[in-house]
Amino acid sequence: MDDLQHIIKQKRELLSRDTFSRAAFDSSEGMSENQKDRYISYLVDRVNEMDLDKRAMELVLEDFLKAKKEMQEELSVMKKRQEQLDSRLDTETKKRKKAEQRVEQMENQLAFARKNQFGDKRQKVKNANEDESNGENPDRNDEQEKFDGTDDTLETKSVPEPSDAPVSKKETKRDLCNRPDTYNAMGLQGDPVEHPSDDSKIPGRILDRKMVKVFHFETRLVEEHFEMIHYVEKGKKPKWGYFPKAGHPAMVTKFEGTKATPEFLQALAYEVYVKNVTFGLLHQWLLDLGMTVSANTLRNWLKQGKKHLDRLVVLLKEIALEKDSIVNCDETWCKVRKYDAYKKCYIWALVNKAEQTVIFFYEDGSRGRDVLVHFLGDAELKSIMTDGYNAYVFIGDELKSATLKNTEHQVCMAHTKAKFVKAEDSGGDHEAHVFNVCFGGLYGLEHQYDKEGLIPDERYRRRQGLETKEIQITLRQHLSIQLEKLKTEPENVSSYLKEAVNYLEKFWDEIFAYLKDGNYPIDNNIAERSIRKLTTQRNSMLHFGSDEGVEMAATYHSVISTVKMHGKSAWEFLGKFFTNIFNGCRDYLSLSPKNIGLALCQ
């Protein structure tokens, strides 16, 4: 613009010089007064016409500019509409491709199912009379077309050669049910320990007798038989009863719904959910001990124990979600068999450190925010700690419900630090080193507070100190530098560092929310440690057979993890719990890990 004004100024100077150099010219020289008046009138009319032309051109230009502006606005709207249509077209195209792939997959599955159900599974055997020279099978219809009535055109390739050996046809009946001739009854090698009834104690007439099997486990596996008496009293209905002799158990020690004692059920639960022994290995171990039982029966026995543990988990959930509680939440994946395929599903874990409670929950394997919404319900929590994924899909401002609007949402600092460590180690970006040093300084302060044994109020006061503020300021300065660098020089920033910087920028307030209260945790490690036992079982079992199996694992791990948080033995708790349930205790508050020693039987 300055150059243009300079050029105009130079042109004006040249025109002024040219005007001064020429002699003055009098256009009215030699004219009469009448001619001068007419000439002046002519010039005035011409000026007026030129002025009208100029004004008309200005109006036309104004209309043109207005029309141009309207066209530009309309073009902008059309471009936005086109972008929306393009985006919608891309989305619909992806959905269509996904649907086509799904249809193709289902058609293949349907064809495979039909083939297995209705297809001919007999193997195709090559005929010995086939012409191996040309590799073609003889066709009887082709032979008929070539035959013209003469012997030369008579072919018999399709007719098998007669054999001198007699052919015997053996008729075999097809086994449609594929059932075994005999079944192995459940039992144990060796002589069982029998507990007969005392006939002198029977109050009525004896109708029948039978022995009830019970498997007992202490240092070895023992099979016990309890003699049940079917008797009838005068004026009453017949019923079964056990009347022990002296020196024998006073009652049938069989856990409800099983043929196992509480001690045996305790051993099964401990092997599967504490030692992470698969059902296959557990089944093989019992077979090696001489017991005849199926793996599905063992699952059913543990399912009977789950019925009572579920009621205990409901009580633990109420304790964990009490008002103004501080909880940690995390999830892990597992492979679950559904119909004829395996699906990647998710199990969630919620930890209340103050109440020393761990709850695992599984909602059809979903990872969506509806799972957490349904589980929390109307709980009025003080704080909930998650990783970045959960914070993004559930803890966002647009998803805060009326009951959670006062809940402080925290994001784990350990996840943030791990991203910068990955950027420095794997990405080789030295800019991430400063961030790692700052995070290390914050963790160093927390370790110092733990070492000094500070109470929450004192910890809150120390967290507001100058040391923490200096580290925050340093982090923010380097974060601003890296964000500016991402805008100006994105090619000089590694993908790992870019991900870490954007993560820290997005969740800055949630990461440093722990400074607002001395009870708040700095990271989500307590939930990570609690869920590690479940991931160990996942790696050893490879997959769960059904949703029911995952729910049973979630129940058992909820109780066992809670017991471990109380610093107690899982073996002793399972034994006391099943024994008290067998003895008739249904006060689940007294059966909780905190009060198990105070439980009284009814």
Side-chain angles (χ1 to χ4, degrees):
M1 197 68 177
D2 295 338
D3 295 340
L4 182 59
Q5 291 180 352
H6 182 67
I7 294 173
I8 293 174
K9 186 177 180 181
Q10 289 180 347
K11 293 296 183 181
R12 287 175 60 87
E13 291 179 356
L14 291 175
L15 290 174
S16 62
R17 292 174 186 175
D18 185 33
T19 302
F20 289 131
S21 61
R22 292 183 298 174
F25 175 72
D26 187 3
S27 302
S28 61
E29 184 179 1
M31 291 184 180
S32 63
E33 293 297 331
N34 189 18
Q35 289 178 338
K36 289 181 180 181
D37 293 339
R38 285 188 297 167
Y39 185 65
I40 291 172
S41 178
Y42 165 75
L43 292 176
V44 170
D45 293 339
R46 186 175 178 184
V47 169
N48 291 334
E49 291 178 0
M50 292 178 65
D51 182 59
L52 289 175
D53 293 340
K54 179 182 178 183
R55 290 169 61 186
M57 292 175 65
E58 289 177 352
L59 292 175
V60 171
L61 180 61
E62 183 178 351
D63 294 339
F64 175 76
L65 293 176
K66 184 177 180 180
K68 181 180 179 183
K69 184 178 180 180
E70 292 177 354
M71 292 178 62
Q72 289 178 348
E73 292 177 354
E74 185 177 356
L75 182 61
S76 177
V77 173
M78 293 178 64
K79 286 183 177 179
K80 291 182 180 180
R81 180 61 178 170
Q82 183 180 2
E83 292 177 356
Q84 293 177 356
L85 292 175
D86 292 340
S87 177
R88 185 176 178 182
L89 180 61
D90 294 339
T91 304
E92 295 296 332
T93 303
K94 292 179 181 179
K95 289 183 179 179
R96 181 181 59 80
K97 291 183 179 180
K98 189 175 181 180
E100 290 176 353
Q101 295 175 357
R102 181 59 179 168
V103 169
E104 183 179 359
Q105 181 182 3
M106 294 180 68
E107 288 179 350
N108 294 335
Q109 292 178 356
L110 181 60
F112 179 76
R114 287 177 175 174
K115 181 179 180 181
N116 289 339
Q117 185 174 5
F118 305 109
D120 188 0
K121 298 183 179 180
R122 294 175 296 176
Q123 295 182 354
K124 187 176 180 180
V125 182
K126 184 177 180 181
N127 192 346
N129 296 325
E130 291 181 357
D131 187 3
E132 298 181 356
S133 60
N134 54 12
E136 296 180 357
N137 296 330
D139 189 355
R140 195 166 201 176
N141 294 328
D142 189 35
E143 292 177 359
Q144 291 178 354
E145 292 177 356
K146 293 180 180 179
F147 179 64
D148 58 0
T150 61
D151 295 338
D152 296 336
T153 58
L154 181 62
E155 296 184 4
T156 59
K157 292 181 180 181
S158 62
V159 181
E161 294 290 339
S163 176
D164 297 337
V167 179
S168 61
K169 294 184 178 180
K170 184 178 180 181
E171 295 183 358
T172 58
K173 294 183 178 180
R174 185 179 179 185
D175 187 4
L176 300 177
C177 60
N178 194 23
R179 296 177 179 176
D181 296 333
T182 59
Y183 293 91
N184 294 326
M186 188 185 305
L188 185 66
Q189 293 181 359
D191 296 331
V193 178
E194 296 186 353
H195 304 294
S197 294
D198 189 354
D199 294 346
S200 62
K201 297 180 180 179
I202 301 174
R205 180 168 55 89
I206 300 176
L207 299 178
D208 195 4
R209 297 174 183 265
K210 69 176 181 180
M211 302 299 290
V212 176
K213 294 181 182 180
V214 175
F215 296 95
H216 180 69
F217 183 83
E218 288 183 353
T219 57
R220 64 187 181 91
L221 189 59
V222 179
E223 181 180 353
E224 299 177 337
H225 287 186
F226 292 83
E227 185 181 13
M228 302 296 294
I229 304 297
H230 194 201
Y231 68 96
V232 60
E233 298 183 49
K234 187 176 181 180
K236 297 182 179 180
K237 294 182 179 180
K239 54 183 176 180
W240 290 90
Y242 168 65
F243 304 92
K245 290 185 177 181
H248 293 276
M251 62 181 68
V252 180
T253 57
K254 181 174 71 72
F255 196 83
E256 180 184 2
T258 70
K259 290 187 177 181
T261 61
E263 293 79 12
F264 190 30
L265 191 60
Q266 168 195 9
L268 293 178
Y270 190 83
E271 290 290 326
V272 175
Y273 298 109
V274 178
K275 297 175 66 175
N276 295 323
V277 178
T278 63
F279 277 101
L281 293 177
L282 178 63
H283 183 225
Q284 184 62 44
W285 174 59
L286 294 177
L287 292 179
D288 294 340
L289 291 178
M291 182 179 180
T292 304
V293 68
S294 66
N296 194 44
T297 300
L298 301 178
R299 295 187 184 94
N300 291 334
W301 289 357
L302 289 175
K303 193 185 301 182
Q304 296 299 323
K306 174 184 176 293
K307 292 180 180 179
H308 300 282
L309 290 174
D310 282 337
R311 300 181 181 179
L312 178 60
V313 171
V314 172
L315 178 64
L316 295 177
K317 177 183 175 182
E318 295 177 357
I319 296 175
L321 298 180
E322 288 181 349
K323 186 176 180 180
D324 294 335
S325 295
I326 300 174
V327 298
N328 296 66
C329 186
D330 195 16
E331 83 285 333
T332 186
W333 66 273
C334 62
K335 187 184 292 185
V336 183
R337 181 169 183 173
K338 296 191 175 185
Y339 303 101
D340 58 343
Y342 293 92
K343 183 179 179 181
K344 186 177 183 180
C345 301
Y346 290 87
I347 303 177
W348 296 66
L350 186 136
V351 183
N352 188 326
K353 183 179 180 182
E355 297 295 338
Q356 297 177 317
T357 306
V358 181
I359 304 294
F360 289 90
F361 53 100
Y362 175 82
E363 298 285 345
D364 295 331
S366 175
R367 199 187 186 189
R369 60 177 179 267
D370 294 338
V371 178
L372 201 53
V373 171
H374 179 265
F375 182 81
L376 295 179
D378 56 352
E380 299 180 9
L381 303 177
K382 184 177 182 180
S383 169
I384 180 170
M385 164 75 76
T386 65
D387 56 21
Y389 169 77
N390 291 333
Y392 179 73
V393 298
F394 173 71
I395 309 299
D397 294 335
E398 68 278 9
L399 299 175
K400 290 181 180 177
S401 61
T403 56
L404 293 174
K405 63 182 180 180
N406 296 324
T407 302
E408 192 71 49
H409 302 116
Q410 297 180 254
V411 173
C412 176
M413 183 176 289
H415 282 79
T416 310
K417 182 182 177 183
K419 292 182 180 294
F420 284 98
V421 171
K422 183 179 180 181
E424 183 178 3
D425 296 342
S426 301
D429 202 324
H430 300 290
E431 298 291 340
H433 179 71
V434 180
F435 293 91
N436 292 327
V437 172
C438 293
F439 286 125
L442 293 174
Y443 271 100
L445 294 176
E446 293 299 316
H447 294 327
Q448 182 65 28
Y449 303 155
D450 294 336
K451 187 176 180 181
E452 296 177 6
L454 300 181
I455 61 175
D457 293 340
E458 182 64 21
R459 184 186 290 265
Y460 168 72
R461 189 184 65 81
R462 294 280 292 274
R463 283 177 173 178
Q464 302 299 320
L466 185 60
E467 294 178 323
T468 305
K469 298 299 181 182
E470 289 179 348
I471 296 176
Q472 272 190 291
I473 293 172
T474 304
L475 268 175
R476 195 68 206 186
Q477 289 176 348
H478 285 84
L479 178 61
S480 301
I481 294 173
Q482 294 302 321
L483 290 174
E484 185 64 26
K485 192 175 180 180
L486 284 175
K487 296 179 180 178
T488 58
E489 303 175 9
E491 66 279 356
N492 295 331
V493 181
S494 64
S495 59
Y496 296 109
L497 184 60
K498 180 180 179 181
E499 178 184 354
V501 168
N502 291 331
Y503 187 90
L504 179 59
E505 168 66 15
K506 181 174 183 60
F507 300 115
W508 177 273
D509 295 334
E510 289 83 359
I511 293 171
F512 288 99
Y514 79 98
L515 300 175
K516 298 179 181 180
D517 195 299
N519 290 308
Y520 288 172
I522 191 174
D523 53 34
N524 207 28
N525 288 347
I526 187 171
E528 297 283 349
R529 289 192 295 268
S530 298
I531 212 169
R532 189 174 299 163
K533 197 67 179 178
L534 190 64
T535 59
T536 304
Q537 184 185 21
R538 176 195 69 196
N539 295 335
S540 61
M541 295 183 64
L542 300 182
H543 71 275
F544 291 97
S546 63
D547 291 333
E548 190 176 21
V550 188
E551 292 173 353
M552 188 161 65
T555 298
Y556 275 94
H557 279 290
S558 297
V559 176
I560 293 171
S561 299
T562 302
V563 171
K564 290 184 176 181
M565 284 200 71
H566 282 83
K568 296 183 179 181
S569 170
W571 171 264
E572 293 182 0
F573 175 82
L574 291 173
K576 291 180 180 178
F577 181 84
F578 290 134
T579 301
N580 282 281
I581 292 295
F582 170 76
N583 292 331
C585 181
R586 295 298 184 270
D587 183 10
Y588 292 97
L589 180 61
S590 64
L591 292 176
S592 62
K594 185 178 181 180
N595 306 320
I596 188 65
L598 306 176
L600 298 176
C601 301
Q602 297 178 356

